[in-house]
Amino acid sequence: MRCKLVRELILTDHTDGEMDPRGRAEVDEHIRSCAACRELKSAVTAQAVGPFRLAPKEDAPPYLWERIKAKIAAEDSLRAASRSFFPRFIRTVSGKVPGLSRPAIAFAMAAAIIIAVIMTRPYADMALLDAYLNEQVEFITKLDIHETNGSDIFDIEIRTGAENIL
Amino acid sequence: MRDISNELVIKAAAGEISAFEDIYRAASGFVYNIALRVTNNRSDADEVTQDVFLSAYNKIGSFEFRSSFKTWIYRIAVNTAINHCKRRIRREKLITAYDPAIHDAAAPDKSDETLRRQEIEKTVVSALEKLDPDQRACVVLREIEGLDYRSIADALSVNINTVRSRLKRARERLLTLRGKE
């Protein structure tokens, strides 16, 4: 077996136990007879693999679950508040202003919310801000009548925009 | 990671926070370790771990049991950690070098065992610093989490030869840089 191939295997499959027994035996035989490949095997084990295999595993800090739970509760509250407020508001406005369509109201509200959030609510976590904004825009724009199967807006199940982050 | 039953996943998807907490207890260890080793920074690891579980909570309703739940969580954890790393690099922040104040916060005494662990930790952090985020993720999943090539490929959504190639380049880099020290 040639050194070039053995070196490739030492850096990958042979070291990681990905070879079949016959292939592994051939590489082992070559390593026994080749000083250069034996030296490479020793270096890979000591410097590129060994240190990581000794790395300690740690538990997540105890405070993380409380933080996650608090954020979940905050997001759930926002969703619940959005579902009750916006349908009533849009129906009221469209009823009082003839000719003003619901899609127009929906997009105007989305723009107003984006501006209001950016101006007034500091978010340390931009990912959370993106999730919140995506969710609000998606929810409000889906209030348009052609997105629904019926007239009762409260039958709509809206998936959160946070799903679109990853 | 402890086994997570399909029933627990279904309950969590239905909004039962207690079921989701059970999932968190079972998975938080390996998620945190992936986050810690890929970001190589404790405060980033906290942030990534939170993001992973918030994302899992929001997406669990769309989990269709086509892969194992463990693979699904691995995928979210690794991708979140890699993306976090890459965003940090793009903002040109310095990756924190070994900082005893961060890594040794819970070790005020200097027993032999503690010193040995600190030395190992220092070596691991220093080695991971030398790798780019994609290489780092492969090394962490292979050497620390013990995944085989197929499982790593599934977690990273790449083909198996990409895993092989990244591991080879990571190890060549470590050997080259170590040789210059």
Side-chain angles (χ1 to χ4, degrees), chain A residues 13 16 53 58 63 79, chain B residues 33 42 46 143 149 171:
Chain A
D13 297 62
D16 295 325
R53 293 188 181 172
E58 301 188 22
Y63 52 77
R79 281 187 211 120
Chain B
N33 276 284
R42 279 186 195 277
D46 284 0
E143 304 305 342
Y149 286 6
R171 288 163 178 167

Side-chain angles (χ1 to χ4, degrees), chain A residues 9-52:
Chain A
L9 292 170
I10 288 172
L11 286 166
T12 55
D13 297 62
H14 183 267
T15 291
D16 295 325
E18 296 277 338
M19 296 189 73
D20 60 63
R22 183 176 161 187
R24 184 172 188 85
E26 287 183 30
V27 172
D28 288 341
E29 177 61 34
H30 178 95
I31 289 174
R32 273 194 287 273
S33 62
C34 175
C37 288
R38 199 159 52 245
E39 189 178 333
L40 175 64
K41 178 67 182 178
S42 177
V44 167
T45 302
Q47 297 167 27
V49 170
F52 300 111

Side-chain angles (χ1 to χ4, degrees), chain A residues 20-158:
Chain A
D20 60 63
R22 183 176 161 187
R24 184 172 188 85
E26 287 183 30
V27 172
D28 288 341
E29 177 61 34
H30 178 95
I31 289 174
R32 273 194 287 273
S33 62
C34 175
C37 288
R38 199 159 52 245
E39 189 178 333
L40 175 64
K41 178 67 182 178
S42 177
V44 167
T45 302
Q47 297 167 27
V49 170
F52 300 111
R53 293 188 181 172
L54 296 174
K57 290 196 178 182
E58 301 188 22
D59 292 329
Y63 52 77
L64 277 187
W65 170 244
E66 295 306 318
R67 288 187 193 173
I68 291 165
K69 199 166 68 169
K71 288 192 177 184
I72 287 173
E75 285 184 6
D76 284 348
S77 293
L78 280 171
R79 281 187 211 120
S82 297
R83 286 195 185 112
S84 65
F85 169 75
F86 286 114
R88 286 201 306 269
F89 181 81
I90 290 176
R91 277 200 291 260
T92 301
V93 171
S94 67
K96 289 186 181 299
V97 184
L100 188 60
S101 69
R102 286 191 193 192
I105 300 169
F107 281 113
M109 288 183 67
I113 286 172
I114 289 168
I115 292 168
V117 168
I118 290 171
M119 299 295 286
T120 62
R121 295 190 67 175
Y123 277 88
D125 183 345
M126 291 305 293
L128 191 59
L129 172 61
D130 283 347
Y132 175 75
L133 293 176
N134 286 337
E135 179 190 339
Q136 296 306 315
V137 168
E138 183 179 345
F139 177 75
I140 291 167
T141 55
K142 282 190 175 174
L143 289 176
D144 181 4
I145 197 166
H146 73 266
E147 292 284 346
T148 71
N149 292 324
S151 59
D152 186 354
I153 286 174
F154 292 98
D155 286 341
I156 298 171
E157 182 183 7
I158 304 296

